[in-house]
């Protein structure tokens, strides 16, 4: 059967050359799009340590110093720190709040990033993400230890001289250790050694980013006391609320109930946002949402044109092959065999075209003309993108060739032979 299909394709090579050229170009364009979706799909499949369901961020602002409502303190900035901590305590006592934490440019889906060289010694320092948080951070975002357990164990592990590191950090710095808890690691920023108090799961900046080497350092009350009003207002206040609350209703009721209580000194309540909304805002800002939308739209347009081109081409081919088809039916071919032959030609054609197209795609990938910031070029990435592209092409070849082939298989052989 396959040998017979080869002969048919070769006999009609002039007519098949145009559709082969179209399939060749479409294969490479579709592969480029599929490669993008496979990379973001793969990175999204890596579980993030953060669980943002039922979590919100409370943002404060400060009264401008030029405002007549601004309060000047003779005692210094320590008054502002005391007021700030009292605000945090009032938020903690809100009936629907389960946990509160503070962090400094360290919340999930934060556009800011701080790195710090760390390693077992000065000769093997590696840049990693620097995250400064209070111990309750692990309860708010329900960050669990790498080997299982409760977030409270990581909360207890974070102290002045004890840090929590991410899974990738543990693998890179202590590759031979299954659990590096208790080991010492050097911080290149201040040349101090810290003990590893715990190891959490995978940490990523967002769902579509690579896994990060990350370290959690303690944000203590003594740090807060030394900061001024502007710096304190920039700290991130994150809360976890009771499960099942309506997002919009909670934000509205919290702002209504707490606005006067949180307007203390020069601090005022600015906004309350869910981390799901902050995530969506980040994707709009960094272009991830637009990139996905553009590629989906382009792929839909490409597939639609593939379908129209294939069905038009096969319809035209089948029209001038009616005498051949009628003769085949007259000498004993069944309608099912005719249908299989016509669709089989399309499958074989896309398979032949796919070989040189795949070779070019592999070379494009090896030369890193595709993005490598999300996922490196690996055998899995190339193989998965080529196979998915080929399967999509086969599906649409089948859909495009089926109806013209079906019409051709229903013709009356006597009519075609008489006209011939």
């Amino acid at each position: 059967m396959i040998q017979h299909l080869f002969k048919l394709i070769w006999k009609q090579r002039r007519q098949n050359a145009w559709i082969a050229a179209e399939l060749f170009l479409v294969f490479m364009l579709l592969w480029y799009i599929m490669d993008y979706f496979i990379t973001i799909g793969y990175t999204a499949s890596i579980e993030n340590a953060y669980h943002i369901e039922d979590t919100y961020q409370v943002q404060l602002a400060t009264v401008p110093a030029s405002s007549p409502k601004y309060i000047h303190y003779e005692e210094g900035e320590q008054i502002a720190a005391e007021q700030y901590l009292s605000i945090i305590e009032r938020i903690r006592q809100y009936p629907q709040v389960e946990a509160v934490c503070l962090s400094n440019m360290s919340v999930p889906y934060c556009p800011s990033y701080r790195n710090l060289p760390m390693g077992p010694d000065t000769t093997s320092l590696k840049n990693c993400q620097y995250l400064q948080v209070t111990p309750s951070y692990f309860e708010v975002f329900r960050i669990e230890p790498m080997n299982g357990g409760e977030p409270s164990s990581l909360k207890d592990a974070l102290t002045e001289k004890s840090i929590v590191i991410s899974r990738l950090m543990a693998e890179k710095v202590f590759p031979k250790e299954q659990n590096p808890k208790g080991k010492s690691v050097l911080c290149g920023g201040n040349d101090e050694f810290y003990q590893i108090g715990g190891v959490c799961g995978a940490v990523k900046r967002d769902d579509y980013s690579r896994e990060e080497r990350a370290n959690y350092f303690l944000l203590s009350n003594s740090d807060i006391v030394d900061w001024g009003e502007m710096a304190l207002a920039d700290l991130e206040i994150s809360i976890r609320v009771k499960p099942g609350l309506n997002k919009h209703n909670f934000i509205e009721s919290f702002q209504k109930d707490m606005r006067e209580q949180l307007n203390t000194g020069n601090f005022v309540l600015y906004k309350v946002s869910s981390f799901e909304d902050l995530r969506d805002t980040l994707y709009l800002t960094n272009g991830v949402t637009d990139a996905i939308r553009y590629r989906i739209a382009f792929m839909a347009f490409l597939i639609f044109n593939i379908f129209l081109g294939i069905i038009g081409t096969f319809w035209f081919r089948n029209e001038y092959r009616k005498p051949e088809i009628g003769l085949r039916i007259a000498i004993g071919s069944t309608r099912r065999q005719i249908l299989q032959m016509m669709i089989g030609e399309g499958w074989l054609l896309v398979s032949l075209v796919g070989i040189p197209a795949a070779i070019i795609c592999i070379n494009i990938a090896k030369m890193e003309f595709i993005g490598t910031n999300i996922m490196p070029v690996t055998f899995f990435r190339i193989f998965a993108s080529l196979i998915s592209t080929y399967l999509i092409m086969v599906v649409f070849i089948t859909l495009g060739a089926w109806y013209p082939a079906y019409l051709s298989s229903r013709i009356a052989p006597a009519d075609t032979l008489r006209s011939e």
Side-chain angles (χ1 to χ4, degrees):
M1 180 66 176
I2 296 179
Q3 185 178 5
H4 180 63
L5 292 177
F6 268 115
K7 290 180 180 180
L8 289 176
I9 291 175
W10 177 253
K11 183 179 179 181
Q12 302 170 31
R13 55 187 178 275
R14 290 187 178 180
Q15 294 84 359
N16 289 330
W18 293 105
I19 190 171
E22 177 189 0
L23 293 176
F24 180 80
L25 293 175
V26 166
F27 189 100
M28 290 192 294
L29 290 173
L30 190 59
W31 167 80
Y32 182 80
I33 298 173
M34 290 306 301
D35 175 78
Y36 175 80
F37 285 118
I38 284 172
T39 55
I40 65 172
Y42 172 77
T43 52
S45 68
I46 299 175
E47 185 180 0
N48 203 337
Y50 300 116
H51 295 81
I52 63 169
E53 301 84 3
D54 303 312
T55 57
Y56 297 82
Q57 185 179 85
V58 180
Q59 294 177 268
L60 301 179
T62 56
V63 177
S66 58
S67 172
K69 296 183 179 180
Y70 183 81
I71 302 173
H72 297 271
Y73 298 103
E74 296 180 0
E75 292 82 358
E77 299 292 348
Q78 189 172 358
I79 298 296
E82 293 175 358
Q83 292 173 342
Y84 186 83
L85 292 175
S86 70
I87 290 173
I88 303 304
E89 187 60 32
R90 291 171 189 174
I91 295 174
R92 183 178 287 108
Q93 293 175 1
Y94 191 73
Q96 295 172 326
V97 172
E98 291 186 344
V100 185
C101 72
L102 297 175
S103 57
N104 185 16
M105 292 191 292
S106 304
V107 291
Y109 307 105
C110 177
S112 302
Y113 178 83
R114 293 187 296 174
N115 62 2
L116 191 69
M118 297 195 69
D121 50 56
T122 55
T123 61
S124 55
L125 296 177
K126 299 179 182 296
N127 280 327
C128 63
Q129 190 174 6
Y130 174 81
L131 302 166
Q132 192 177 21
V133 302
T134 56
S136 55
Y137 181 93
F138 301 102
E139 292 182 329
V140 170
F141 297 108
R142 291 186 178 172
I143 302 175
E144 300 176 354
M146 181 178 63
N147 297 323
E150 295 297 323
S152 57
S153 63
L154 294 179
K155 174 183 177 182
D156 298 334
L158 190 66
T159 63
E160 290 283 354
K161 286 297 181 180
S162 177
I163 63 174
V164 175
I165 66 175
S166 69
R167 180 180 69 181
L168 186 62
M169 184 69 183
E171 293 175 356
K172 296 297 183 181
V173 178
F174 302 99
K176 298 181 181 180
E177 299 286 340
Q178 292 185 350
N179 188 0
K181 183 177 179 180
K183 298 287 184 178
S184 295
V185 63
L186 175 66
C187 175
N190 51 18
D191 294 330
E192 290 187 21
F193 279 94
Y194 291 84
Q195 188 179 34
I196 298 176
V199 181
C200 67
V203 175
K204 300 191 294 183
R205 298 191 203 182
D206 56 68
D207 298 327
Y208 305 117
S209 295
R210 285 186 179 186
E211 186 177 348
E212 296 272 349
R213 296 190 295 262
N215 296 321
Y216 294 93
F217 287 81
L218 178 67
L219 175 61
S220 63
N221 287 348
S222 59
D223 296 325
I224 294 175
V225 169
D226 295 333
W227 292 349
E229 290 175 342
M230 296 294 292
L232 292 172
D234 288 336
L235 286 178
E236 300 142 345
I237 306 173
S238 306
I239 61 175
R240 173 168 288 278
V241 302
K242 295 179 179 179
L245 297 178
N246 180 273
K247 178 174 65 176
H248 300 289
N249 291 343
F250 169 76
I251 292 176
E252 184 178 351
S253 60
F254 182 89
Q255 292 182 143
K256 180 180 178 181
D257 298 338
M258 299 296 291
R259 186 170 297 278
E260 291 186 4
Q261 296 188 48
L262 302 188
N263 291 353
T264 302
N266 292 318
F267 295 104
V268 294
L269 176 61
Y270 174 61
K271 187 170 63 172
V272 179
S273 306
S274 72
F275 273 94
E276 293 173 349
D277 291 340
L278 292 173
R279 175 191 60 192
D280 297 340
T281 302
L282 174 66
Y283 292 159
L284 284 172
T285 304
N286 63 13
V288 171
T289 300
D290 289 338
I292 293 175
R293 287 175 179 173
Y294 291 154
R295 282 170 172 82
I296 290 176
F298 184 70
M299 185 169 67
F301 173 78
L302 194 63
I303 288 174
F304 180 71
N305 281 274
I306 293 171
F307 179 74
L308 290 182
I310 290 171
I311 195 172
T313 302
F314 276 83
W315 204 313
F316 176 75
R317 292 176 65 211
N318 293 351
E319 282 295 320
Y320 74 77
R321 293 178 64 184
K322 278 185 178 181
E324 173 197 341
I325 296 169
L327 180 61
R328 288 178 180 274
I329 296 175
I331 62 177
S333 295
T334 64
R335 300 186 188 280
R336 185 174 182 178
Q337 289 175 332
I338 296 297
L339 194 63
Q340 290 176 346
M341 182 191 71
M342 305 296 287
I343 296 177
E345 284 187 47
W347 288 357
L348 186 57
L349 194 60
V350 74
S351 299
L352 293 174
V353 168
I355 295 173
I359 293 173
I360 293 177
C361 292
I362 291 172
N363 282 278
I364 290 174
K366 286 185 175 180
M367 289 186 289
E368 295 188 354
F369 287 157
I370 54 178
T372 57
N373 58 325
I374 298 177
M375 180 182 178
V377 177
T378 60
F379 172 80
F380 166 79
R381 175 177 176 179
I382 297 175
F383 179 78
S385 58
L386 288 174
I387 288 296
S388 58
T389 302
Y390 175 76
L391 292 177
I392 290 175
M393 295 286 288
V394 167
V395 168
F396 281 92
I397 281 284
T398 304
L399 294 176
W402 176 83
Y403 187 66
Y406 173 77
L407 293 179
S408 298
S409 68
R410 309 304 294 181
I411 63 176
D415 293 341
T416 56
L417 291 174
R418 187 182 302 112
S419 62
E420 182 66 14

